[in-house]
């Protein structure tokens, strides 16, 4: 196909395939569209999976020199020190898997189009839980665990909203950047562990480690239904 860029050929093919599939489904009556009928067409249809933008982030590629990286992040809880680290990973490990996210925005600029997160709590699939509580020098941060570590009261410097937001299911951090507060935060995930694993099997995402698959299946066995 001379004169055409490879990426345009692939893109147009995928779009035409999606349109054809949509046209096929749209010819059916609503009552005829059942989960079993969709599964016969493709096992990937009906998998619930989405991106969740906690802060306002423009859609663009990674710029590592600016600290902007779009890939899975591991939440490593400290064993010999207080706190934890949130670090990029080239694939999804069991340390990436989060079952519940709770956050509050700052109140210093209530009408801003770029809200900042002043409080963040991550409940991991492995049962551990961490909170962003204290900022330290050199652009780093420590994260208090739930064992009563002394932390700075950042609420006195910048107001933290009393409104708590939350996500429940299975999620992975795909973009994280922080200075005094969380500036950039995005997750991807599903409301059930089964859908999460299927999404990684059917779509061109990152690889899942064997440890992550084991954790997902154990969690799915205990929690087969999405959170209410």
């Amino acid at each position: 196909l001379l004169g055409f860029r490879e990426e345009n050929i692939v893109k147009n093919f995928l779009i035409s395939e999606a349109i054809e599939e949509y046209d096929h489904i749209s010819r059916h009556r609503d009552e005829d569209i059942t989960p079993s009928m969709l599964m016969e067409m493709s096992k990937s249809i009906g998998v619930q999976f989405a991106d969740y933008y906690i802060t306002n982030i423009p859609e663009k590629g990674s710029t590592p020199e600016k600290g902007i990286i779009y890939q899975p992040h591991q939440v490593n809880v400290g064993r010999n020190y207080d706190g934890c680290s949130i670090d990029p990973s080239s694939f999804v490990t069991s340390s990436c898997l989060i079952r519940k996210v709770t956050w509050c925005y700052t109140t210093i600029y209530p009408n801003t189009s770029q809200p900042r997160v002043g409080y963040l709590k991550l409940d991991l699939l492995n049962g551990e839980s961490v909170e962003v509580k204290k900022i330290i020098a050199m652009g780093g941060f420590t994260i208090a665990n739930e064992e009563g570590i002394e932390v700075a009261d950042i609420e006195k410097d910048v107001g933290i909203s009393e409104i708590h937001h939350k996500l429940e299911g299975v999620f992975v951090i795909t973009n994280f950047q922080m200075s005094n507060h969380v500036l950039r935060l995005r997750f991807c995930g599903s409301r059930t562990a089964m859908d999460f694993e299927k999404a990684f099997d059917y779509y061109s995402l990152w690889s899942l480690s064997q440890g992550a698959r084991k954790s997902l299946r154990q969690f799915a066995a205990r929690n087969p239904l999405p959170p209410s």
Side-chain angles (χ1 to χ4, degrees):
L1 296 173
L2 298 177
F4 289 89
R5 296 174 60 185
E6 181 182 353
E7 63 183 74
N8 289 335
I9 295 171
V10 173
K11 183 178 179 181
N12 291 335
F13 170 75
L14 293 175
I15 291 173
S16 64
E17 286 285 293
I19 292 173
E20 184 178 332
E21 196 168 75
Y22 174 80
D23 287 342
H24 176 67
I25 294 174
S26 63
R27 294 190 190 102
H28 292 77
R29 297 177 302 170
D30 289 349
E31 55 268 29
D32 294 333
I33 302 176
T34 62
S36 58
M37 185 268 269
L38 294 174
M39 286 293 286
E40 286 178 8
M41 294 178 59
S42 171
K43 291 184 179 180
S44 63
I45 293 179
V47 173
Q48 186 277 319
F49 188 86
D51 287 314
Y52 298 86
Y53 292 80
I54 309 304
T55 58
N56 213 355
I57 302 172
E59 196 63 56
K60 59 181 182 180
S62 298
T63 15
E65 65 272 17
K66 294 183 179 180
I68 302 172
I69 300 173
Y70 293 97
Q71 61 189 82
H73 285 62
Q74 298 185 97
V75 182
N76 295 307
V77 181
R79 294 290 177 264
N80 300 315
Y81 60 91
D82 295 328
C84 85
S85 62
I86 298 177
D87 307 307
S89 173
S90 56
F91 55 93
V92 176
T93 70
S94 55
S95 298
C96 296
L97 302 174
I98 301 166
R99 63 178 178 82
K100 183 178 178 181
V101 183
T102 307
W103 74 95
C104 302
Y105 293 106
T106 62
T107 58
I108 188 169
Y109 300 116
N111 299 317
T112 181
S113 62
Q114 295 183 319
R116 299 183 176 190
V117 174
Y119 171 81
L120 176 65
K121 182 180 179 183
L122 304 173
D123 294 314
L124 308 183
L125 228 64
N126 62 13
E128 295 177 314
S129 181
V130 295
E131 295 178 277
V132 172
K133 296 293 280 187
K134 183 179 180 181
I135 313 304
I136 60 174
M138 301 301 291
F141 59 97
T142 58
I143 298 179
N145 59 26
E146 295 189 327
E147 303 192 1
I149 301 171
E150 281 295 321
V151 296
D153 187 1
I154 59 174
E155 294 188 22
K156 292 180 180 177
D157 301 319
V158 177
I160 306 298
S161 172
E162 294 182 357
I163 300 173
H164 286 67
H165 308 271
K166 69 177 182 179
L167 287 172
E168 291 186 82
V170 179
F171 307 95
V172 169
I173 296 173
T174 54
N175 187 222
F176 181 85
Q177 189 178 47
M178 186 171 184
S179 58
N180 291 334
H181 304 97
V182 178
L183 304 177
R184 305 172 66 91
L185 183 59
R186 186 181 77 170
F187 296 87
C188 71
S190 304
R191 291 186 33 90
T192 67
M194 185 178 296
D195 272 357
F196 186 94
E197 185 176 4
K198 284 181 180 178
F200 277 78
D201 287 338
Y202 296 129
Y203 305 133
S204 299
L205 300 169
W206 303 281
S207 299
L208 279 174
S209 72
Q210 288 303 311
R213 287 188 184 276
K214 181 179 178 180
S215 296
L216 286 167
R217 289 169 186 177
Q218 289 175 341
F219 186 76
R222 299 191 306 270
N223 305 272
L225 300 176
S228 56

